[in-house]
Amino acid sequence: MSDLEQFRQETRAWLEDNCPASMRKPAQGEADICWGGRRFEFQSEDQKLWLERMASRGWTVPTWPKEYGGGGLSKDENKILGEEMRRIKARSPLTSFGIWMLGPALLKFGTHEQKLEHLPKIARGEIRWCQGYSEPNAGSDLASLMTKAEDKGDYYLINGQKIWTSYADKADWIFCLVRTDFSATKHTGISFILFDMESEGVSTKPIKLISGYSPFCETFFDDVKADKKNLVGEVNKGWTIAKYLLTHERTGIGDMGLPTPLSAIARDKLGLEDGELADTMLRHQIAEHEIDAASFMFTIERAKDQAKAGGDMGAFSSMLKYYGTELNKDRHELILKVNGSEALEWEGQFSNNGEIARSWLRTKANSIEGGTTEVQLNIIAKRILELPA
Amino acid sequence: MALILNEEQQLLKETADGFFADKAPVSQLRKLRDDKDETGYSKDLWQEMAEMGFAGLLVDEDNGGTGFGYVGAGVVAEAMGRTLAASPYLASAIVGASVVEAAGSDAQKAELLPAIASGETVVTLAIDETAHHGPEKTALKAEKAGGGYKLSGLKTFVPEGHVADKVIVLARTSGKAGERDGLSLFLVDRKASGLIVDRTVMTDSRNWAKMTFEGVAVGADALMGTEGKGMDALEGALDRARIVVAAELLGISQQCLDMTVQYLQERKQFGVLIGSFQGLQHRAAELFSEIEVSRSAVLKALQVADAGGNVGWFASLAKAKASKTAELATNEAIQMHGGIGMTDEFDIGFYIKRARVLQNLYGGFNYHADRFAALSGY
């Protein structure tokens, strides 16, 4: 038996023994997602147990090195773990910005001490992170951010305001872009720093969105002290890390996994006549959408294979972000059409408090957050097509 | 399998790109058109292509081909799309070879495959009878007569039909138009008695043919595959041909984008390069994205075609997506070039003309979107 085959059998047996039955169905909504953190309220004992067991093997972050709380798995082993989890429909034990954003940045730019300090707590779901990037006057033009960090010897004194900070009101720590040099050009005076959201002088205020939800906050810093050892990379070189993370985020937003095919929802709602969707106009629109969606899915596959073969993803991630988010908006417009008036109920049991409508509204932000569609098109035009400035 | 070209395929791509840029630039098609050339392609070019092995990519080595497969065939088609190289490649080396491979008897394969691979014999497929693609709509009749068959009816839009040596004809041996069963494939000599061939000059300066069968007599050995079950053999081959057509469309789209981007980098108005205008940058970036997404659908379909089995879903996906993108690319190319894009002197016009012909060939966007939905179960 090959090593990988043995790994698969052992993994299968371990999952069989350790994944609680209630964790073996897909997450239905926000309440089923385990974000971790100091103040996280577990939905059930099973949810807690599942996190602890997976974390004990380092499998919340399977490919991170063991010394930082990861599983130390190779790409092939990680793929097998994913397959075996899908086989029993096991839920992800932990979702967090620490895992898919800060972690990769620390692994690439952090010191050994910073990795030892922060990564294991991410892996165990003990600390929940948020991202302090956008400011009221620095949205698409992120590099013009003005939150100030003054060097005070062994700490930085931070003053300013962030906006669109995802779940800042629930987060324990923040990774934050601050200006450390006001005389430098705008890209060169920025630093990347970490600090505790419980520090004196930090306050947050949720922003209510058109969906009725408040996933984002305004975040205020008033004489906040941030320990110097938590500055990642070199001072004034934070933009390099920010760019790396944005690329990472864009790829993530464009690649949101495979949702239920639109046609399956439509078949369910509209029914078939002679094997075809009963609404011929919608059938045409759905086919057009699914042709694009399937082609896009293969584009993600191609991009990953290219990256594996040593190709540089570079600005291609802007294309994935642009195309993926526009597709998702289109998908939700079609879901609205497929469900008719039912999709527009806002409150009540029947609609699970307007879940379809609220999800549809949420997608409108897809092409704004993480760099707008227009910014992505600018990047493609300049960096790939090399059009003049 | 990784969804990228392997080393061998990458090498073939570079060879093909270089070959067609050198031997068959757009100026060659322009000259054929201006000279009102009755063949519609350069026989010398076709011979050179055969020597390069391009005519035998789908023919196995025992029959004189290279057996390179569909990814290779698509790579070469894409290169041809970039320069609009005119040749019987699609009709003979792709459609002809794959139908013979799928439906031919051992004797038919032995006779035709080596001759296709060497470029000596041009084979084409006669399928459509109206302006709209639909193999099942075939009405052309094949009746049993004197130990063989007698073919009567009409075929239109047969690629290279005016010069092909052999024509594979989809004919009805039983049932009625619209039924999948009862269709059979026959191998007919273009010079057969009773077969009237009229050359049709198409928008893209290439030649197709209208074929009138006035009781064309063929022997029993002209039947390819099983009588009445022609569609079973044809469908897989036709789907593979559709994917290769999609690859040529991809080449056209890519070339239109490249020419447009170059123009945006050079043309000045209002004292600045027009490529600095965001209105044009975004149009170009959107087009780039659509082409990349199409490229993935086409490459995936080519890989599945090589893997064997049923490729219908992938073929309709690739043909629909590549057609839609080529329509966008050619329209955008003219718009972004402005007035010069409308002139005959400039090459863009040749690309939009060829694109529409290929978009329509073997089913356009609507045909394949409908089929994609049906094959997806809705």
Side-chain angles (χ1 to χ4, degrees):
Chain A
M1 192 165 30
S2 74
D3 289 350
L4 283 179
E5 193 44 45
Q6 189 174 352
F7 176 78
R8 184 186 294 278
Q9 293 203 359
E10 286 167 8
T11 301
R12 184 175 294 188
W14 187 88
L15 288 171
E16 207 51 72
D17 290 344
N18 289 282
C19 183
S22 67
M23 294 292 110
R24 297 187 191 194
K25 57 184 179 196
Q28 295 300 314
E30 182 66 27
D32 288 347
I33 296 173
C34 176
W35 288 94
R38 291 173 190 146
R39 287 167 293 156
F40 186 71
E41 286 175 24
F42 287 97
Q43 174 200 40
S44 62
E45 266 308 305
D46 280 353
Q47 191 183 41
K48 186 160 180 267
L49 201 60
W50 179 224
L51 170 62
E52 284 168 2
R53 286 176 175 171
M54 285 293 274
S56 72
R57 305 210 72 167
W59 284 1
T60 51
V61 283
T63 57
W64 291 9
K66 280 189 173 169
E67 63 174 326
Y68 304 135
L73 300 191
S74 68
K75 274 184 185 174
D76 287 339
E77 287 169 335
N78 186 38
K79 193 167 158 238
I80 289 172
L81 173 61
E83 285 165 2
E84 289 303 317
M85 284 178 66
R86 275 192 294 281
R87 199 181 68 84
I88 59 165
K89 299 193 176 68
R91 241 174 241 185
S92 169
L94 181 65
T95 301
S96 79
F97 296 130
I99 292 179
W100 65 283
M101 299 192 70
L102 178 63
L106 275 184
L107 283 169
K108 193 170 168 71
F109 299 100
T111 61
H112 178 60
E113 288 70 27
Q114 286 170 338
K115 291 176 194 172
L116 272 183
E117 169 70 22
H118 298 292
L119 294 177
K121 291 178 192 165
I122 293 173
R124 293 194 296 265
E126 290 168 5
I127 293 295
R128 180 170 178 177
W129 288 84
C130 63
Q131 171 186 260
Y133 272 28
S134 296
E135 296 180 8
N137 291 313
S140 286
D141 182 16
L142 181 60
S144 67
L145 59 94
M146 297 298 280
T147 291
K148 183 162 70 171
E150 292 170 89
D151 190 339
K152 296 284 182 186
D154 53 357
Y155 66 92
Y156 285 99
L157 189 67
I158 298 176
N159 280 287
Q161 185 194 341
K162 295 287 174 184
I163 195 169
W164 308 121
T165 327
S166 302
Y167 302 114
D169 53 337
K170 299 186 171 71
D172 305 311
W173 274 65
I174 186 167
F175 49 98
C176 199
L177 291 179
V178 293
R179 188 158 297 283
T180 34
D181 184 350
F182 276 78
S183 59
T185 58
K186 67 178 186 180
H187 291 93
T188 52
I190 294 171
S191 299
F192 189 97
I193 194 162
L194 321 173
F195 53 90
D196 195 323
M197 289 292 277
E198 283 178 6
S199 310
E200 200 174 323
V202 177
S203 58
T204 61
K205 187 176 156 207
I207 305 165
K208 188 173 176 183
L209 299 185
I210 52 177
S211 62
Y213 296 138
S214 306
F216 301 107
C217 292
E218 291 179 281
T219 307
F220 304 90
F221 309 125
D222 186 12
D223 282 340
V224 176
K225 289 177 183 170
D227 202 321
K228 253 192 175 169
K229 70 175 186 193
N230 284 320
L231 189 125
V232 182
E234 283 178 57
V235 69
N236 295 331
K237 299 270 176 71
W239 187 247
T240 312
I241 307 175
K243 269 197 307 188
Y244 170 79
L245 260 180
L246 279 173
T247 306
H248 210 77
E249 181 185 5
R250 275 165 198 157
T251 315
I253 290 174
D255 176 12
M256 281 173 300
L258 289 181
T260 312
L262 195 53
S263 55
I265 300 171
R267 221 173 1 229
D268 197 36
K269 285 282 164 190
L270 304 170
L272 299 179
E273 271 172 25
D274 298 328
E276 295 183 0
L277 279 184
D279 184 324
T280 52
M281 292 300 287
L282 255 179
R283 176 175 183 264
H284 188 108
Q285 288 184 314
I286 290 171
E288 193 153 0
H289 173 85
E290 291 205 326
I291 284 168
D292 285 343
S295 303
F296 180 65
M297 186 181 80
F298 294 136
T299 305
I300 292 172
E301 184 183 338
R302 186 161 70 86
K304 284 182 179 164
D305 287 343
Q306 233 151 27
K308 263 186 235 162
D312 178 19
M313 180 80 96
F316 204 78
S317 64
S318 286
M319 194 281 275
L320 298 180
K321 199 275 174 181
Y322 149 65
Y323 209 94
T325 53
E326 294 296 336
L327 258 183
N328 199 41
K329 288 200 300 184
D330 186 45
R331 172 184 155 85
H332 279 264
E333 288 295 346
L334 284 167
I335 288 177
L336 224 53
K337 293 184 174 81
V338 164
N339 286 281
S341 305
E342 283 179 16
L344 299 168
E345 186 177 294
W346 192 251
E347 289 173 3
Q349 284 264 298
F350 176 77
S351 62
N352 195 14
N353 282 327
E355 196 173 328
I356 294 175
R358 291 168 198 262
S359 302
W360 156 70
L361 287 166
R362 174 66 184 84
T363 63
K364 299 302 168 200
N366 292 165
S367 50
I368 301 170
E369 59 204 343
T372 62
T373 280
E374 289 69 23
V375 166
Q376 307 311 324
L377 293 174
N378 287 345
I379 294 172
I380 295 168
K382 298 209 167 65
R383 290 190 38 207
I384 298 180
L385 302 179
E386 299 177 340
L387 290 173
Chain B
M1 190 192 312
L3 194 53
I4 47 176
L5 296 180
N6 66 27
E7 226 168 288
E8 216 182 1
Q9 290 156 351
Q10 186 61 36
L11 199 64
L12 177 65
K13 177 185 156 54
E14 282 156 25
T15 306
D17 282 344
F19 177 87
F20 290 109
D22 180 34
K23 306 278 183 178
V26 190
S27 57
Q28 187 179 75
L29 178 65
R30 181 184 290 276
K31 184 163 189 318
L32 289 164
R33 181 199 66 174
D34 292 347
D35 293 351
K36 298 193 181 302
D37 187 284
E38 289 198 359
T39 305
Y41 61 85
S42 155
K43 288 187 172 174
D44 291 343
L45 174 73
W46 181 231
Q47 199 46 52
E48 280 189 75
M49 284 174 66
E51 281 160 21
M52 294 290 291
F54 296 163
L57 293 168
L58 301 182
V59 175
D60 56 64
E61 285 177 24
D62 290 346
N63 280 309
T66 61
F68 210 99
Y70 285 96
V71 174
V75 157
V76 171
E78 187 185 340
M80 294 176 73
R82 296 193 67 131
T83 71
L84 301 178
S87 83
Y89 174 77
L90 192 62
S92 193
I94 304 302
V95 186
S98 43
V99 177
V100 170
E101 181 62 43
S105 64
D106 288 346
Q108 285 161 340
K109 285 183 192 171
E111 180 202 341
L112 292 172
L113 292 178
I116 289 174
S118 69
E120 190 183 314
T121 297
V122 170
V123 178
T124 190
L125 174 70
I127 184 167
D128 287 331
E129 300 179 4
T130 70
H132 297 280
H133 180 64
E136 292 88 352
K137 291 192 285 189
T138 293
L140 185 142
K141 253 196 309 204
E143 293 168 298
K144 284 222 160 75
Y149 298 86
K150 211 159 84 177
L151 276 56
S152 316
L154 180 78
K155 288 288 177 188
T156 57
F157 306 111
V158 182
E160 322 297 343
H162 62 306
V163 288
D165 302 292
K166 301 281 183 186
V167 187
I168 299 168
V169 184
L170 185 66
R172 191 159 284 288
T173 39
S174 67
K176 56 179 191 295
E179 291 176 0
R180 183 187 162 96
D181 268 356
L183 291 170
S184 310
L185 292 164
F186 293 93
L187 185 65
V188 181
D189 200 293
R190 178 178 51 94
K191 293 184 176 145
S193 155
L195 174 51
I196 301 157
V197 178
D198 295 307
R199 180 166 78 109
T200 321
V201 178
M202 299 298 288
T203 301
D204 61 352
S205 308
R206 303 283 292 271
N207 299 284
W208 290 12
K210 186 170 106 179
M211 296 185 161
T212 312
F213 292 75
E214 294 185 336
V216 176
V218 295
D221 59 354
L223 178 70
M224 301 179 81
T226 312
E227 187 183 300
K229 296 288 174 200
M231 275 307 288
D232 293 352
L234 181 63
E235 199 160 44
L238 195 55
D239 272 331
R240 285 168 169 78
R242 287 162 172 152
I243 302 168
V244 177
V245 175
E248 187 174 338
L249 280 166
L250 181 66
I252 289 175
S253 298
Q254 186 69 54
Q255 186 64 22
C256 283
L257 175 68
D258 291 355
M259 288 167 76
T260 302
V261 166
Q262 193 186 342
Y263 188 71
L264 297 181
Q265 288 164 337
E266 290 166 358
R267 166 82 171 165
K268 274 190 173 176
Q269 286 286 277
F270 308 103
V272 294
L273 294 168
I274 61 172
S276 65
F277 297 142
Q278 200 175 39
L280 294 178
Q281 289 185 346
H282 284 190
R283 292 178 87 133
E286 283 170 5
L287 180 56
F288 165 83
S289 306
E290 290 295 348
I291 292 171
E292 287 303 315
V293 170
S294 297
R295 179 175 298 287
S296 316
V298 171
L299 182 57
K300 184 75 181 183
L302 288 166
Q303 288 189 349
V304 174
D306 275 329
N310 190 348
V311 299
W313 187 87
F314 291 94
S316 281
L317 173 73
K319 184 71 197 325
K321 185 63 194 168
S323 294
K324 191 172 148 190
T325 300
E327 189 161 315
L328 179 75
T330 50
N331 286 339
E332 286 290 90
I334 290 186
Q335 178 64 25
M336 285 191 262
H337 274 86
I340 197 174
M342 288 299 292
T343 63
D344 183 69
E345 194 189 343
F346 199 68
D347 287 338
I348 284 281
F350 284 90
Y351 286 89
I352 194 169
K353 291 170 185 171
R354 177 68 176 162
R356 291 303 178 278
V357 170
L358 291 177
Q359 282 170 242
N360 193 56
L361 182 63
Y362 307 136
F365 178 83
N366 287 342
Y367 178 91
H368 286 289
D370 175 73
R371 186 164 176 257
F372 174 88
L375 292 172
S376 301
Y378 63 97

